[in-house]
Amino acid sequence: MGEEAKMEQETYTGRSILLIGFMGSGKTTIGKRLARELALPFTDTDERIEKRTGRSIKEIFAQEGEAYFRDLETEELRLLLEEGQTSVISVGGGLPVREENRKLMKQLGEVVYLKASTNTLVNRLSGDTTRPLLQGGDLRERIEALSKAREALYLDAATVCFATDGLSRKETVAGIQELLQG
Ligand code: S3P
């Protein structure tokens, strides 16, 4: 790594950055790159839940139902608050739906809404078997219905909203950094 990059990495003194948005909007991919740029740890609520429970998200939904999973998400945010580590945090697409979670996220840090078009989401999510809410029926219709129900809640949760269509990962990460500085 060059001296300039090193210096840039050491300068992040802000709060944690949370990435929210629909399934397939790039939260994990972009989150990992952003964390690398800022020299922050990266974490993902779905991954943490799977690790903590020893079960996959798919198994939790099938065995316990969605409401149980939503409780685990809220618990995870509380645990992150207790840990108090400045990080880049990618959260599950449905996590911001609960009002309490939106409040907890605001306490945790800056909330960035990654917004992708329905076409992009359909392309990225077709063939996915890991996300229980997208199984069965017409994928586009499911995405449209869920997005419509969630859009206002994502906007309510977000500090900033960033549209990613047509941008490379590098451009997206740079754009988010710029937004957060401004
Ligand atoms: C969900 C999104 C998933 C995961 C679960 C439910 C949702 O996370 O938490 O399948 O309700 O939108 P990703 O957004 O990381 O795919």
Side-chain angles (χ1 to χ4, degrees):
M1 191 190 305
E3 273 310 305
E4 207 175 297
K6 249 192 226 163
M7 278 177 64
E8 215 172 280
Q9 281 197 326
E10 283 159 13
T11 54
Y12 187 78
T13 52
R15 309 165 72 209
S16 284
I17 300 163
L18 293 98
L19 296 177
I20 66 166
F22 205 79
M23 295 170 263
S25 59
K27 302 179 295 276
T28 305
T29 317
I30 297 302
K32 282 184 180 163
R33 288 184 80 121
L34 183 62
R36 211 164 55 216
E37 283 295 317
L38 300 172
L40 290 178
F42 171 80
T43 190
D44 178 307
T45 57
D46 283 343
E47 231 176 69
R48 284 174 58 108
I49 288 170
E50 289 187 331
K51 214 170 177 184
R52 189 155 64 88
T53 60
R55 288 192 275 183
S56 68
I57 304 293
K58 202 173 166 179
E59 285 167 340
I60 299 170
F61 266 76
Q63 293 163 3
E64 316 285 354
E66 183 174 350
Y68 182 89
F69 173 71
R70 298 300 172 201
D71 288 340
L72 292 176
E73 289 187 314
T74 304
E75 273 170 32
E76 216 48 63
L77 291 179
R78 291 210 192 100
L79 288 171
L80 282 163
L81 259 181
E82 270 172 38
E83 288 166 23
Q85 187 176 30
T86 305
S87 333
V88 175
I89 307 164
S90 161
V91 313
L95 181 147
V97 170
R98 201 180 260 194
E99 190 185 0
E100 183 181 3
N101 293 351
R102 298 200 293 280
K103 283 190 186 143
L104 287 166
M105 285 197 292
K106 287 211 163 103
Q107 283 174 252
L108 270 164
E110 308 298 336
V111 183
V112 178
Y113 171 23
L114 281 189
K115 196 173 159 71
S117 69
T118 304
N119 280 345
T120 299
L121 296 176
V122 171
N123 285 335
R124 288 193 191 148
L125 294 166
S126 78
D128 178 90
T129 57
T130 63
R131 294 173 171 95
L133 296 182
L134 298 179
Q135 306 313 305
D138 181 74
L139 179 64
R140 179 176 291 273
E141 276 174 20
R142 276 183 180 256
I143 291 174
E144 277 170 350
L146 267 179
S147 301
K148 200 172 158 205
R150 290 179 176 176
E151 175 70 5
L153 303 173
Y154 286 156
L155 290 171
D156 179 53
T159 321
V160 292
C161 174
F162 193 83
T164 61
D165 272 313
L167 297 183
S168 68
R169 289 170 184 166
K170 197 173 172 188
E171 286 166 335
T172 302
V173 170
I176 293 170
Q177 283 182 269
E178 225 168 86
L179 267 184
L180 289 173
Q181 278 158 12

